Amino acid sequence: MEQDIREYHAENAPGAVNKTRLSYWWPLLEAAGIPTPKTQMVSYTENISPLFDGTTPKGWDDLLANLTTAARFISQTGPWFLRTDFGAAKHSWKNTCFITDLNKIGAHVAAIAEDHEMQFPFAPPCDNWVVREMLPTKPIFTAFWGDMPITREFRFFVRDDEVEHAQSYWLSDAIKGNHPSKKDWRKLLAKASEFIDGGESDILYDLARRVSRAVPGVWSVDLLDTERGWFVTDMAEGDFG
């Protein structure tokens, strides 16, 4: 625990660059022409923690107005995907990252901020919010307490232009006991975790290597299957041995 605290502080000390932030890696992907969701970032430098005491934080109305403007820039009708620089609390899906009504965006912000505080107590505050395009996916079933759609996704581990490992994003142990909506979810997940014949593996490996060239170092890279093809949705810096 003490080691984790020291690492958090070192990564987020004044002048330090936390590369796992979306605001670090996403602009590099966009500049390289790699397919990512449309994205708008909104800075918020005030302390959001008064929310947890039932108090309105400073600059709250401006934050919600700026997020609404960002969402409308991406799509007039939605839906939209909301997250911080670090995460989206996606397991609570319908109460956090998945937004269909911008009049309720404040409740989603509060829920994500609370999750952020619980998961990353030593990380920076929610100082950068991100509104993203909700990509048209092909859900297999839903799971978790927020009825999150489970889709075909793969996680690639890359290091300096080389793919070291690839696996399905969703492992059965992550779904087990988390309210899958279909009885045959294991069979459906197993089928979705296989590469489709016809060169899909080559396409994904090539995309992962393109990401690695655009963002050098050691990374996990999440690739999402959509009705418009494969998109890079998330990344995390790390050392995988």
Side-chain angles (χ1 to χ4, degrees), residues 99-204:
I99 297 179
T100 58
D101 183 354
L102 292 177
N103 291 319
K104 299 178 180 178
I105 196 169
H108 290 265
V109 170
I112 293 175
E114 183 177 17
D115 182 86
H116 176 98
E117 183 75 11
M118 293 174 64
Q119 287 203 57
F120 311 110
F122 306 106
C126 301
D127 57 354
N128 197 53
W129 288 84
V130 183
V131 183
R132 310 195 86 184
E133 169 189 16
M134 183 64 70
L135 295 167
T137 59
K138 313 165 190 177
I140 310 165
F141 54 89
T142 62
F144 302 103
W145 45 93
D147 297 329
M148 179 185 178
I150 304 301
T151 60
R152 290 190 73 227
E153 297 181 65
F154 288 91
R155 174 165 286 178
F156 280 70
F157 298 88
V158 299
R159 183 191 303 266
D160 297 328
D161 200 17
E162 294 294 333
V163 175
E164 295 192 339
H165 179 66
Q167 65 184 47
S168 173
Y169 180 91
W170 292 110
L171 305 179
S172 60
D173 284 349
I175 303 296
K176 182 180 178 181
N178 281 304
H179 318 294
S181 61
K182 294 187 177 180
K183 292 183 178 180
D184 60 344
W185 68 269
R186 291 181 184 275
K187 181 179 179 180
L188 294 170
L189 186 64
K191 184 177 180 180
S193 300
E194 299 173 354
F195 292 125
I196 298 173
D197 292 338
E200 183 177 71
S201 175
D202 292 339
I203 291 172
L204 296 186

Side-chain angles (χ1 to χ4, degrees), residues 24-35:
Y24 172 81
W25 52 260
W26 178 76
L28 299 175
L29 297 184
E30 185 185 39
I34 291 170

Side-chain angles (χ1 to χ4, degrees), residues 69-87:
T69 298
R72 293 294 189 200
F73 183 83
I74 291 173
S75 169
Q76 287 295 313
T77 59
W80 303 269
F81 187 90
L82 179 69
R83 57 167 289 171
T84 71
D85 240 354
F86 293 95

Side-chain angles (χ1 to χ4, degrees), residues 29 48 56 134 152 180 190 207 218:
L29 297 184
I48 205 169
T56 302
M134 183 64 70
R152 290 190 73 227
L207 179 55
V218 184

